[in-house]
Amino acid sequence: MFTSVKNKIEIEHMRESGRILSYILDHLSTRISEGMTTKDVADIAKNELKPTGGLPTFLGYYGFPDVICISINDEVVHGIPRRSKIIKNGDIVSLDFGVTFNGMITDSAISIIIGSPKDEKHAALVSNTRKSLMRGIAAVTDGVKVGDISSSVQKVLDNYKYGIVRELVGHGVGHNLHEEPDIPNYGFKNTGPMLKSGMTVAIEPMATLGSHDVIQDDDGWTIRTADGSMAAHFEHTVLVTNEGYEILTKNT
Ligand code: MG
Ligand code: MG
C-alpha cells in the first residue's frame, strides 16, 4: 500500500509518536555505557515508553522478540537485545526504534560510539552516515521523486567510498511500519514514484567501511556486513510539506 496523504489528526498523532520516540532515543544515548548488555538498554526503552501512551511498534512485528533493535559494530540492523551481549568501549551501537501512538507510527535510528572510537574512521562513518540522512531529507518537498532523495543520500556516501547497503531501504510509514514506496539509498535523480504533501516517509541510510554485501545470522534477524566491516545507520520519519519537510523524530 502506497503511503497515504495524512489528515491533520493523523499528523498530530504522528508528531506525538515522534516526540515520544525521540525522547527515548535521546535518553538511551545518555544512559548507554560500557559494561551494559543490549538487553539492559532495551529494558530502559521499555520502561521509559510505558507511561507515555506510546506502544512499541517492533515488539511482535513478524515475531520480533523485543521493543528495540540494537546492532553493534558489523551488525547493520535488526539486532535482538540479549543478556549475553555486553557493550564495550569503542563499540558502534545502532539503536532502531518505532513507536505507535493512537495507531500512527514513527520510525527512527541513531548510531553512537561508546566512549572513545577505536579508529577515527569509525567516528567519521557515524557522522557521515548522519550527514547523508540529512542531505536526503533536504531533498524532500511536495512533488519530489524518490530518486531525488536516493541520489542525494548516495552522493554523500559515495564521496567517502562507503558501502551502501542495498538489501534494506527506507519506506513509507504511518498506518503501517512499512508502506510503499521503497526509498533506496542509491538511485538517480528524477526517477521513481512522486511524493505529495501530507505523505510520511522513513529515510534510513545504512553505510559500511567495506563492501555493501550483508548476511543474516541464524537467529533469523540480525543483518551484518558479509566482510565484517563496521556499519552505521541513521533514520528519521519525515512529513512532506508544501514548503519542504518536517522531521517528526527530532532526536539528535
Ligand atoms: Mg527503523
Ligand atoms: Mg525503517
Side-chain angles (χ1 to χ4, degrees), residues 58 96-97 107-109 171 204 233 235:
F58 297 175
D96 189 354
F97 196 39
D107 185 11
S108 182
H171 49 91
E204 51 177 319
H233 177 211
E235 175 177 28

Side-chain angles (χ1 to χ4, degrees), residues 179-194:
E179 301 175 345
E180 287 172 29
D182 283 354
I183 305 180
N185 295 304
Y186 55 92
F188 297 100
K189 264 187 184 171
N190 205 29
T191 63
M194 186 183 282

